[in-house]
């Protein structure tokens, strides 16, 4: 089976850091770019970050709302994508999904991040 | 950034009746490679989004043929020919023309 599983979410205080993981299975992870998308409670979907495959330089992109605070990375040997989230704000509270580019045809179940004091 | 505007934001449909959702982009989604990067997703209650349509009108394998996508440039439409109870949820459009990728606000569809 082909699937993605996110982990690492939880309750965190403003200003602290959290690292999310996205573990892939059933496909050649290294061949694909991966993105993180989030959904605040009761809101729509917001693209957060992208990491291209090593074949395309492994370059990264970020939404303006997280640039300078979040860092995306990948470990193709483990089929894992990461999202390091620093200086968290209350407005970062959301379910975070990882998804496979370019079609966003595969999504994980999401992991909830709650930023609150 | 490309702004994606969906209408309506909610609709209630009787089973067996058609439904239509519009998605308009603030810029053309036609890329220099000739493709138009517009996608449709359905997020069923309590679930992750699932891809229905890519490149405006290509249905993902396994998606029922009652779902169809159309449009060009900046105006796009998702149509469901005969709504079924399992089609309930929030429909999202997404542009993949230029970063940052942007979604519409979502259209919540309920069954009467």
């Amino acid at each position: 089976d082909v699937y993605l599983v996110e982990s690492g979410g939880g309750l965190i205080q403003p200003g602290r850091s959290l690292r999310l993981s996205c573990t892939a299975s059933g496909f050649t992870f290294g061949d694909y770019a991966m993105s993180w998308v989030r959904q605040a409670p009761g809101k729509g979907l917001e693209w957060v970050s992208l990491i291209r495959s090593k074949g395309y330089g492994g370059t990264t992109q970020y939404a303006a709302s997280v640039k300078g605070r979040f860092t995306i990375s990948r470990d193709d040997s483990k089929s894992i994508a990461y999202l390091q989230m620093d200086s968290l704000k209350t407005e970062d509270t959301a379910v975070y999904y990882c998804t496979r580019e370019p079609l966003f045809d595969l999504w994980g179940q999401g992991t909830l991040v709650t930023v609150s004091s | 950034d490309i702004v994606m505007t969906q209408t309506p934001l909610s609709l209630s449909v009787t089973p067996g009746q058609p439904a239509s959702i519009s998605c308009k982009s603030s810029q053309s989604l036609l890329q220099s490679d000739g493709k138009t990067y517009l996608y449709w997703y359905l997020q069923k209650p309590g679930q992750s989004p699932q891809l229905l349509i890519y490149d405006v009108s290509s249905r993902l394998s396994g998606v029922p043929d009652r779902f169809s996508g159309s449009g060009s440039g900046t105006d796009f439409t998702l149509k469901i020919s005969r709504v079924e109870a399992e089609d309930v949820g929030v429909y999202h459009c997404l542009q993949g023309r230029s970063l940052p990728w942007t979604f519409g606000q979502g259209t919540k569809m309920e069954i009467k």
Side-chain angles (χ1 to χ4, degrees):
Chain A
D1 283 356
V2 180
Y3 59 84
L4 299 170
V5 178
E6 301 93 340
S7 60
L11 174 62
I12 190 81
Q13 293 179 327
R16 303 291 295 267
S17 298
L18 202 61
R19 189 179 79 160
L20 306 183
S21 299
C22 168
T23 303
S25 182
F27 64 99
T28 306
F29 180 76
D31 288 348
Y32 290 86
M34 300 295 295
S35 269
W36 286 92
V37 172
R38 67 185 181 184
Q39 187 170 36
K43 301 296 184 181
L45 300 169
E46 178 189 16
W47 172 80
V48 172
S49 183
L50 153 72
I51 185 165
R52 296 182 177 86
S53 64
K54 292 290 195 293
Y56 285 87
T59 53
T60 59
Q61 301 283 347
Y62 299 93
S65 58
V66 306
K67 195 169 187 178
R69 299 188 299 121
F70 289 12
T71 303
I72 191 172
S73 61
R74 62 190 300 155
D75 184 337
D76 290 348
S77 68
K78 296 181 179 179
S79 296
I80 299 177
Y82 300 100
L83 187 67
Q84 176 68 39
M85 304 186 296
D86 299 325
S87 303
L88 281 161
K89 304 176 181 180
T90 55
E91 53 263 41
D92 295 319
T93 293
V95 174
Y96 285 73
Y97 297 99
C98 64
T99 181
R100 186 173 69 176
E101 293 257 357
L103 301 183
F104 289 17
D105 61 336
L106 184 63
W107 296 67
Q109 84 290 352
T111 187
L112 176 61
V113 174
T114 303
V115 185
S116 174
S117 54
Chain B
D1 297 1
I2 296 177
V3 177
M4 305 297 288
T5 303
Q6 284 182 236
T7 54
L9 297 184
S10 66
L11 71 164
S12 183
V13 184
T14 301
Q17 293 301 301
S20 179
I21 300 170
S22 170
C23 181
K24 296 182 186 297
S25 59
S26 61
Q27 303 173 32
S28 174
L29 301 186
L30 177 63
Q31 182 64 284
S32 55
D33 61 5
K35 289 186 176 181
T36 299
Y37 294 96
L38 187 282
Y39 311 95
W40 289 99
Y41 301 84
L42 167 59
Q43 186 173 22
K44 295 183 178 182
Q47 295 186 19
S48 306
Q50 57 187 84
L51 176 65
L52 298 174
I53 302 284
Y54 62 96
D55 297 352
V56 179
S57 59
S58 296
R59 215 169 23 250
L60 189 69
S61 177
V63 173
D65 61 6
R66 62 179 182 276
F67 291 94
S68 65
S70 63
S72 64
T74 61
D75 288 358
F76 306 94
T77 303
L78 175 70
K79 292 182 179 178
I80 309 172
S81 58
R82 294 172 305 280
V83 170
E84 297 189 4
E86 66 182 24
D87 301 336
V88 66
V90 180
Y91 289 81
H92 306 271
C93 62
L94 166 69
Q95 69 81 16
R97 165 64 176 81
S98 61
L99 284 160
W101 310 144
T102 45
F103 292 87
Q105 313 97 302
T107 296
K108 186 174 184 178
M109 189 172 79
E110 66 171 25
I111 304 299
K112 285 182 180 176

